[in-house]
Amino acid sequence: MRRERLLVKFRLVVDEPVGSVIPEPAAACHGDHIPVREDEYLPMRIIVADHHSAAQKALVALLLEQPGWEVIGEAQKMDTLLELVTAQPAHVVLLDHDLPGNPLVEMIDKIHALDPGLIVIVMSSDPEHARQSLSNHADAFVS
């Protein structure tokens, strides 16, 4: 018996100036199918890119505690991130605002060029970076 795979869709909720992402099964977004078993959900595949290794490890540990979330790659520089995006199909990239490499807008544009459906969430300890990140094509911002 062939098992049917469900796609995962994310609904972006924009709350100016900071957005949030809510993961939902794609079919449930349209109301055609409400999964009756938890294993019908595919895990949300996340890539974490942060140049602070301690912060990155803490974030990964926090994400791995969430049911249905899977960290599929970690990067501390832009080249590694682009390799991961190319090699690993993901749903979300958590991107450090100050990741070494190209300017933020170029990073986000390159990520979207490689995978237009990939959600890019920019992270920064400075909430002032929110408007800049969102105007540079980030899908959401987290401070």
Side-chain angles (χ1 to χ4, degrees):
M1 178 177 178
R2 189 175 148 220
R3 182 176 171 160
E4 182 180 326
R5 297 184 72 183
L6 296 176
L7 297 175
V8 176
K9 182 175 184 175
F10 299 91
R11 183 165 36 107
L12 182 62
V13 180
V14 178
D15 182 22
E16 191 68 33
V18 179
S20 62
V21 176
I22 301 171
E24 297 179 322
C29 292
H30 302 348
D32 344 299
H33 173 73
I34 304 297
V36 292
R37 295 186 343 243
E38 188 173 316
D39 66 349
E40 286 187 66
Y41 291 92
L42 293 177
M44 180 168 48
R45 298 169 55 84
I46 304 167
I47 297 173
V48 178
D50 194 323
H51 74 287
H52 295 101
S53 61
Q56 183 177 15
K57 288 179 185 183
L59 180 57
V60 168
L62 179 67
L63 293 170
L64 291 175
E65 290 179 0
Q66 304 303 311
W69 292 10
E70 179 182 358
V71 176
I72 60 164
E74 301 174 45
Q76 292 187 335
K77 55 186 181 175
M78 184 60 179
D79 293 341
T80 308
L81 172 59
L82 294 176
E83 289 171 14
L84 286 171
V85 168
T86 303
Q88 299 280 340
H91 300 111
V92 175
V93 170
L94 296 176
L95 174 62
D96 176 17
H97 182 276
D98 298 321
L99 191 71
N102 300 343
L104 184 68
V105 67
E106 289 179 29
M107 285 193 266
I108 295 170
D109 287 344
K110 284 182 180 184
I111 293 167
H112 281 148
L114 290 169
D115 185 348
L118 192 58
I119 294 174
V120 178
I121 301 173
V122 175
M123 307 176 295
S124 175
S125 59
D126 185 351
E128 297 297 319
H129 289 146
R131 286 199 191 282
Q132 176 194 13
S133 300
L134 295 172
S135 68
N136 286 329
H137 311 132
D139 295 298
F141 177 84
V142 176
S143 177

